[in-house]
Amino acid sequence: MVHRFGEYELDEAAGELRLRGAAIEIQPKPLALLALLIRERARIVPTRELLETLWPDTNVTLASLTRAVSHARRAIGDTNRGALIRSVSRRGYRFTGPLVELAPLPPAARAEPMREPARVFVGREEELLQLERLLADAVTGRGSLVVVSGPAGIGKTRLVEQFAALAGARGVRVLVGRNRVEEGVPPFWLWVQILRQLADAEDTRALLREVAQRSAELAELLPELGVDEAPRTHRASDSERSRFLVFDAVSRGLLRASRGRPLLIVLEDLQSADPPSLRLLEHLAFEIGSESLLILASVRDEFRERAHPLDRSLGVLRQQERTTELGLRGFSRREVGALLAQVIGRPAPSDLTSEMFARTEGVPLFLREALRLLAARGVLSAPERLPRGAIALPGQALDLIRRALDALSEPASALVAAAAVLGREFTLAGAAELAELDRDEALDLVDEAARTGVLEASPSDAASWRFTHSLFREAAYERIAGGERVRLHLRAARRLEREHGPASDSVMAELAHHHHRALALGDPKRALECAQRAAEQAAQLGAWEQAAQHHEQAAAAISHAHPVQPEARLETLLSLGEACRLSGDRTRRREVLTEAMSLARALGRTDSLARAAITFSDLQDWGVRDDAAKSAVGEALAALADSAAVERARLLTRLAYFEVRRAHDRAREIGREAVDMARRAADPEALQDALYVLHFALGGPDHVLEREILVHEAVAVAASSRSGDRALISVLDLASDRLMLGDVAEARRLRERADAIVRDWTAPAMRWNQGVYDTGTALMEGRWDDATALARDTLALGSRAEHPYARLVANGHNMIVSWEQGDFGSVLARLERAIGATEGPEHWVLARVARARLAVGRAAEARTLFESLASESFVDVPRNLRWTATMVELSYLCAELADAARARPLYELLAPFEHQHGVFPMAICYGGPVRLALARLCELLERRDDALALYEEARVSAAALGARPTEARIALHHGQCLAPRDKRRARALLEDSARMSEALGMAAVTAAARATLAS
């Protein structure tokens, strides 16, 4: 006979007690006691009868019976003593619960006992197989990153845990980092967890200490290593360097650990990771290709706001060759049937399988909760008896989540709410204190929540529990009334302060979070203190996104303080604006600083107005038009006292920057004034900025010597500055200038000098600049495969550094490959979408587009575009860094359109610079010697002798640069021009052109050379 009461069943024939269909552990005597009381439930069973029946021929004391009753009650959840097993004073015991009698199933139908759904693993065979292959690669030194994605409840965590167990059984060290959905986590929290696990292991603690002794950043992340003194080689305000040093220290520690024993790093719920942790993951993903390290990250597919940090990181990670993405879907009907078979111990009826599949869409979490519901109704004990169509489940799958929370008693619901405030994982002591319960009572309530599937014991900490899924935590938190939520956060903050006392710095981010959430009831002054200290800690580690978040909390605290503190708010807004600048949040930066400027005006604070205007303007935008920033700079300059030399120099620098595209001569004049003022102020940061902008403003064919002098000064100043990026850019620009002048030896020397600067600073943005230059030179030399690989890697670096022009530059380089290979359709696809852009090499782009249109037979469109470019006889082409390359391109277009009338003004403008080459700074985008452009124009002007002489000189100068594609093209035009006079030599030139271009894959040039030879 099977006796059912609530969610429990006692199967006397099988000799087992089941909860929701799954067998649970119970000792023989308590089980026998329970069976006897249920059989005799119509009466009180006397104490003596119980003793004689359970312990025949054995003398035992009454204490043995008391212990058996206690064990039986605990097994059936009878926490309210007497609700099911009632004690009758001086007489005995009686079972008083509601009972249903069921006939036992035939033996064949009970092949296996029911199992707890959460412990069953089915399906995912292909995913596990792929993960095992990648693990085998990692063990042999070919590391990779795997992103497991899918909607909530799809089984990402279950798959990851299953695979982690397999990896651990094979001797791989498994490290797990779990993200917290709520705010208040310290910077790099995900990686701190990983590092702590390494620090706790005897074989890797010494290794981490060794790395930390050379890195203040790692020592700060892991104070438990006990490294008191570590060298710091940067200032906290140096965003790129401070962040990079954290990345480098953590990466070195992990990579060294993986060389002793292969590592599997599991990162759960990446969608909840703090932005600095995501950036560190990007960095590490670039380093693991030749290491024994596999990273396995799970991420929830869900709607995210535009520009969410995770979407940016996933975009960067997907560019990596060693990144694999596994997208999980719901179980198929077959897999649902397999799950049911494992849970109930035998094949499930077809109707039950179909209904479960239809109602849950195969989502494992919803399947699990549906199985709990059916087990509670008794359906799973005898599913074959269920009439067709009699299965009733909630209409919405998410109702299964709500049902589990609704099933909790009021005290258990209060405890779960308190736990939700603390996070997905929490200590029993913490949740009990917030819910104002003693621990013993809280323990019973945790057990109740565990029985409904809401909570489970933490796998890593015996004193902690966690929500079985983040959806339960989110739903529980949303249910808390607003006022009660404030009280709970305030209790959480006070508990942390009592627990940590003077050492509260270790939980400052969490304190700032709870005090912020409790502002309606708490102390704004204390909330401000915590937010400001947390912001300082985050900034020290380069975690600028979190620093900005804490400055936002500080601003909110000031708004709640009385009396009003406008000076404090102004200072907080300035700090917030700077953090937004460093984290790349341009929109929020400008919003905050607009308010700061307004407040500074009202308070008459000209120094603060200048600070706001300086931060409002960004020197990383490559001379964009920004009327709002220019206006702010002008206002601040007008208001600033003459004695504020550093601020005035920085404002003048920005004003010069904004004038570069509008009034080049004025930009140079202002730039020189800014440099002089910064020199007198002896401020290396202001001088670096001023030198960089003046160097930029002097770009073009006319000021090469002055630019060179400025570069040498910029490199010298960088030694005392906190950043070398502007010196690096200037050196690479100067190397481009030397290529423009045909001095390849000096260009190479300067490129080596750039390496020395990067060795001193080592940051992804600086390596991006190097990569841009190297890609351009590879294209100039016709090393297409190298250039393509460099462009790909450089784009990845630029994406990591969030450079605003990373994709634009990569697009330009890839366009050049298509051009040289004669794929003009691809050229147009890349360039035509850039027409009308407010920034960038506008005239150069339009000339290339016109040439490509001409090459694909769209001659009329090409002619129309050229007419618009020539409308002012080319004097409107900005005489800047791009002038020479643009004029060379326009000359080629003029020659291809055979426009003799326009050839003369072009020739006159270019002739003074015949010794130069068409080169873009840094990106190169080599267009060939100016002499080649002049030769093409001379042919139009019927100056054949001049053209032939220029072709000779052009080929020599192109060969000196190693520009093989240009050599092939010069040989083609030279041969065509020479053919009427010297067919033998013309043939030799055309054969050279065909041979070189064919070897380089330049199909259009090869075809033209062969066609000319044939004629």
Side-chain angles (χ1 to χ4, degrees):
M1 183 65 67
V2 176
H3 311 279
R4 176 179 298 147
F5 47 101
E7 296 182 321
Y8 292 84
E9 291 178 355
L10 176 65
D11 189 336
E12 290 193 73
E16 66 181 19
L17 179 65
R18 296 191 286 266
L19 170 61
R20 295 187 293 275
I24 60 176
E25 292 185 6
I26 183 171
Q27 296 175 1
K29 292 300 182 187
L31 180 64
L33 169 69
L34 183 60
L36 176 58
L37 292 176
I38 287 175
R39 284 196 306 271
E40 302 296 329
R41 61 189 177 280
R43 65 187 181 95
I44 298 170
V45 182
T47 300
R48 180 168 297 280
E49 181 179 341
L50 290 170
L51 291 168
E52 291 174 352
T53 304
L54 297 174
W55 291 276
D57 305 319
T58 303
N59 290 322
V60 294
T61 65
L62 192 59
S64 298
L65 177 60
T66 303
R67 281 195 297 272
V69 171
S70 178
H71 283 302
R73 281 174 169 160
R74 192 177 305 121
I76 61 175
D78 188 9
T79 53
N80 298 320
R81 293 172 177 267
L84 297 176
I85 299 177
R86 180 184 166 199
S87 173
V88 182
S89 179
R90 300 181 183 277
R91 296 181 62 186
Y93 294 88
R94 182 180 180 183
F95 186 87
T96 56
L99 202 70
V100 177
E101 302 282 0
L102 300 172
L105 293 170
R110 288 189 283 107
E112 293 183 20
M114 283 186 61
R115 298 170 62 187
E116 174 65 28
R119 298 176 184 174
V120 175
F121 186 86
V122 300
R124 310 302 189 206
E125 293 88 356
E126 290 183 11
E127 289 85 355
L128 280 173
L129 188 61
Q130 190 166 358
L131 288 171
E132 288 177 7
R133 284 197 297 264
L134 292 169
L135 180 63
D137 285 347
V139 169
T140 58
R142 289 178 294 162
S144 59
L145 165 71
V146 184
V147 178
V148 179
S149 61
I154 204 67
K156 300 180 293 294
T157 299
R158 190 72 181 88
L159 171 65
V160 166
E161 289 176 346
Q162 182 79 4
F163 176 67
L166 292 172
R170 295 177 185 176
V172 174
R173 190 195 304 274
V174 179
L175 307 174
V176 180
R178 294 185 174 90
N179 283 297
R180 285 162 48 176
V181 179
E182 67 284 359
E183 299 171 359
V185 296
F188 301 103
W189 171 244
L190 188 61
W191 299 100
V192 168
Q193 297 172 73
I194 299 293
L195 292 169
R196 282 177 177 168
Q197 292 164 55
L198 277 181
D200 289 341
E202 291 184 8
D203 59 330
T204 51
R205 183 176 178 83
L207 180 153
L208 276 187
R209 278 184 58 84
E210 182 183 338
V211 175
Q213 283 165 353
R214 297 190 179 101
S215 167
E217 293 73 27
L218 187 58
E220 285 179 15
L221 280 178
L222 287 180
E224 54 265 54
L225 289 174
V227 178
D228 297 326
E229 298 290 336
R232 179 173 293 284
T233 57
H234 70 287
R235 304 180 191 180
S237 55
D238 174 14
S239 63
E240 194 65 39
R241 184 155 173 74
S242 56
R243 192 196 288 268
F244 178 78
L245 289 173
V246 174
F247 295 173
D248 184 59
V250 173
S251 297
R252 278 189 288 123
L254 293 173
L255 296 180
R256 286 186 60 182
S258 73
R259 291 162 194 160
R261 178 180 168 189
L263 288 185
L264 169 63
I265 295 179
V266 175
L267 307 176
E268 292 189 11
D269 293 323
L270 212 57
Q271 73 278 355
S272 304
D274 56 287
S277 286
L278 291 173
R279 296 293 300 277
L280 203 160
L281 173 60
E282 295 171 26
H283 178 89
L284 186 58
F286 276 77
E287 310 292 333
I288 62 177
S290 58
E291 304 288 346
S292 296
L293 196 160
L294 178 63
I295 302 175
L296 182 56
S298 66
V299 59
R300 184 195 296 181
D301 287 343
E302 60 185 357
F303 171 77
R304 288 184 282 272
E305 293 181 358
R306 189 177 180 184
H308 191 282
L310 176 62
D311 291 330
R312 178 208 166 280
S313 292
L314 289 176
V316 172
L317 295 171
R318 285 167 179 147
Q319 294 173 23
Q320 289 297 95
E321 186 179 354
R322 298 293 297 169
T323 295
T324 302
E325 188 160 6
L326 299 180
L328 300 189
R329 299 179 179 178
F331 285 157
S332 65
R333 187 184 182 284
R334 178 188 62 79
E335 289 170 323
V336 171
L339 175 65
L340 285 169
Q342 287 208 37
V343 170
I344 65 178
R346 55 193 178 279
S350 177
D351 287 351
L352 178 60
T353 301
S354 297
E355 181 71 5
M356 293 287 282
F357 177 65
R359 289 298 184 91
T360 66
E361 299 179 348
V363 176
L365 174 65
F366 299 150
L367 278 166
R368 187 192 78 175
E369 293 308 308
L371 287 168
R372 288 183 186 278
L373 178 59
L374 294 179
R377 294 174 180 171
V379 171
L380 298 186
S381 298
E384 34 301 278
R385 299 176 184 170
L386 197 67
R388 185 178 180 86
I391 300 170
L393 289 173
Q396 297 292 323
L398 281 173
D399 288 342
L400 294 165
I401 301 295
R402 302 185 187 101
R403 184 201 68 83
L405 292 170
D406 290 340
L408 296 172
S409 65
E410 189 173 333
S413 184
L415 180 76
V416 167
V421 167
L422 295 176
R424 184 175 176 187
E425 189 161 329
F426 56 92
T427 62
L428 179 70
E433 184 170 334
L434 261 65
E436 299 181 320
L437 300 167
D438 62 60
R439 292 192 194 184
D440 191 55
E441 184 180 2
L443 191 60
D444 288 337
L445 297 174
V446 163
D447 284 344
E448 179 187 337
R451 285 194 295 273
T452 65
V454 174
L455 301 179
E456 64 184 3
S458 167
S460 57
D461 183 358
S464 296
W465 271 256
R466 68 177 185 179
F467 287 88
T468 56
H469 195 279
S470 57
L471 284 179
F472 283 114
R473 187 259 165 194
E474 292 164 20
Y477 187 81
E478 289 302 318
R479 286 177 167 219
I480 307 172
E484 181 61 17
R485 194 179 294 173
V486 168
R487 293 188 193 94
L488 289 171
H489 278 292
L490 186 58
R491 288 176 203 160
R494 288 172 176 169
R495 180 178 186 277
L496 283 172
E497 288 170 336
R498 283 197 306 273
E499 189 175 282
H500 293 273
S504 59
D505 263 11
S506 62
V507 292
M508 192 55 66
E510 198 170 354
L511 271 174
H513 164 63
H514 287 304
H515 276 299
H516 173 65
R517 294 291 185 183
L519 272 174
L521 190 62
D523 178 4
K525 182 179 178 182
R526 179 59 180 155
L528 176 61
E529 292 170 356
C530 291
Q532 289 175 333
R533 178 63 186 132
E536 290 172 11
Q537 290 179 337
Q540 193 73 28
L541 292 168
W544 299 108
E545 296 86 353
Q546 282 176 277
Q549 183 183 88
H550 293 309
H551 285 307
E552 297 274 16
Q553 293 169 344
I558 292 170
S559 298
H560 284 73
H562 296 286
V564 175
Q565 303 174 41
E567 295 278 354
R569 180 165 183 81
L570 174 58
E571 192 60 35
T572 297
L573 290 173
L574 290 170
S575 298
L576 173 57
E578 177 68 2
C580 290
R581 181 186 73 81
L582 293 168
S583 66
D585 190 345
R586 187 175 190 271
T587 301
R588 182 60 180 149
R589 165 170 62 93
R590 292 167 76 91
E591 290 173 353
V592 167
L593 292 171
T594 297
E595 182 184 350
M597 286 187 281
S598 176
L599 190 53
R601 284 187 211 103
L603 294 172
R605 288 283 302 274
T606 57
D607 57 335
S608 297
L609 181 63
R611 281 179 60 192
I614 288 166
T615 310
F616 192 89
S617 313
D618 197 339
L619 295 182
Q620 303 301 314
D621 287 343
W622 286 10
V624 299
R625 295 185 178 94
D626 191 337
D627 292 334
K630 184 183 176 186
S631 174
V633 166
E635 179 187 358
L637 268 172
L640 197 63
D642 291 339
S643 58
V646 173
E647 289 76 12
R648 182 169 289 278
R650 298 184 73 189
L651 288 166
L652 285 170
T653 295
R654 281 150 179 79
L655 185 58
Y657 201 61
F658 295 131
E659 294 288 11
V660 165
R661 291 183 61 92
R662 311 168 194 240
H664 228 73
D665 291 340
R666 175 167 162 72
R668 294 179 188 124
E669 179 186 340
I670 297 171
R672 290 188 177 103
E673 183 183 354
V675 168
D676 289 342
M677 189 167 289
R679 284 172 182 155
R680 290 197 301 271
D683 185 283
E685 305 308 323
L687 183 54
Q688 273 247 78
D689 281 349
L691 289 168
Y692 168 73
V693 169
L694 180 56
H695 181 264
F696 179 66
L698 291 170
D702 305 304
H703 303 279
V704 175
L705 180 59
E706 187 177 356
R707 277 164 58 84
E708 183 173 357
I709 294 169
L710 290 174
V711 166
H712 295 308
E713 183 178 3
V715 172
V717 172
S720 57
S721 169
R722 62 174 179 254
S723 173
D725 57 346
R726 288 152 293 181
L728 174 72
I729 293 170
S730 298
V731 166
L732 291 173
D733 276 355
L734 182 57
S736 305
D737 285 351
R738 301 319 296 182
L739 289 177
M740 183 179 73
L741 296 175
D743 188 352
V744 70
E746 181 63 11
R748 287 172 180 161
R749 191 189 69 77
L750 288 163
R751 177 63 185 81
E752 291 171 1
R753 190 171 187 181
D755 279 339
I757 294 174
V758 170
R759 275 196 298 273
D760 291 339
W761 297 94
T762 56
M766 300 177 78
R767 289 162 58 195
W768 176 79
N769 288 311
Q770 285 181 297
V772 168
Y773 180 90
D774 292 344
T775 305
T777 54
L779 288 169
M780 180 181 73
E781 295 166 5
R783 295 183 284 113
W784 313 132
D785 290 344
D786 290 348
T788 301
L790 280 165
R792 181 189 64 241
D793 294 344
T794 301
L795 174 60
L797 280 169
S799 299
R800 285 171 64 189
E802 296 184 281
H803 198 287
Y805 298 105
R807 191 162 295 280
L808 177 68
V809 172
N811 189 54
H813 282 154
N814 288 322
M815 178 277 297
I816 290 173
V817 174
S818 299
W819 181 280
E820 298 290 15
Q821 294 175 348
D823 185 0
F824 298 108
S826 294
V827 169
L828 289 171
R830 291 181 184 277
L831 286 186
E832 284 186 324
R833 60 174 175 259
I835 294 177
T838 57
E839 311 305 335
E842 178 184 0
H843 292 77
W844 184 90
V845 168
L846 292 174
R848 277 271 169 151
V849 168
R851 292 182 66 197
R853 286 176 177 173
L854 189 62
V856 297
R858 294 161 60 184
E861 294 176 63
R863 167 63 66 180
T864 300
L865 196 49
F866 183 60
E867 292 292 339
S868 68
L869 288 167
S871 62
E872 297 185 38
S873 299
F874 311 107
V875 295
D876 60 323
V877 177
R879 206 171 179 88
N880 60 16
L881 291 158
R882 309 178 185 113
W883 185 85
T884 305
T886 300
M887 294 301 288
V888 164
E889 201 66 31
L890 287 166
S891 298
Y892 294 155
L893 175 58
C894 181
E896 288 159 8
L897 287 169
D899 191 331
R902 296 299 177 16
R904 188 169 301 281
L906 278 169
Y907 184 91
E908 290 172 354
L909 287 166
L910 261 181
F913 308 102
E914 67 170 85
H915 62 290
Q916 294 188 5
H917 294 251
V919 171
F920 273 7
M922 199 181 307
I924 309 303
C925 297
Y926 184 65
V930 169
R931 289 186 177 102
L932 172 59
L934 293 173
R936 303 293 309 279
L937 296 173
C938 280
E939 284 197 75
L940 279 180
L941 297 171
E942 298 182 354
R943 294 164 50 186
R944 189 178 298 274
D945 290 341
D946 290 340
L948 290 172
L950 286 165
Y951 280 132
E952 291 281 5
E953 294 169 348
R955 191 171 184 193
V956 171
S957 61
L961 290 183
R964 295 184 300 152
T966 304
E967 280 188 79
R969 192 169 281 109
I970 294 171
L972 168 64
H973 296 304
H974 191 183
Q976 290 171 333
C977 182
L978 186 61
R981 292 189 179 181
D982 188 342
K983 288 185 169 52
R984 184 184 60 79
R985 185 154 180 259
R987 177 174 291 278
L989 286 167
L990 292 167
E991 286 173 348
D992 280 351
S993 176
R995 175 180 50 78
M996 284 190 293
S997 61
E998 185 172 34
L1000 291 167
M1002 299 167 64
V1005 175
T1006 305
R1010 286 182 173 158
T1012 307
L1013 282 166
S1015 66

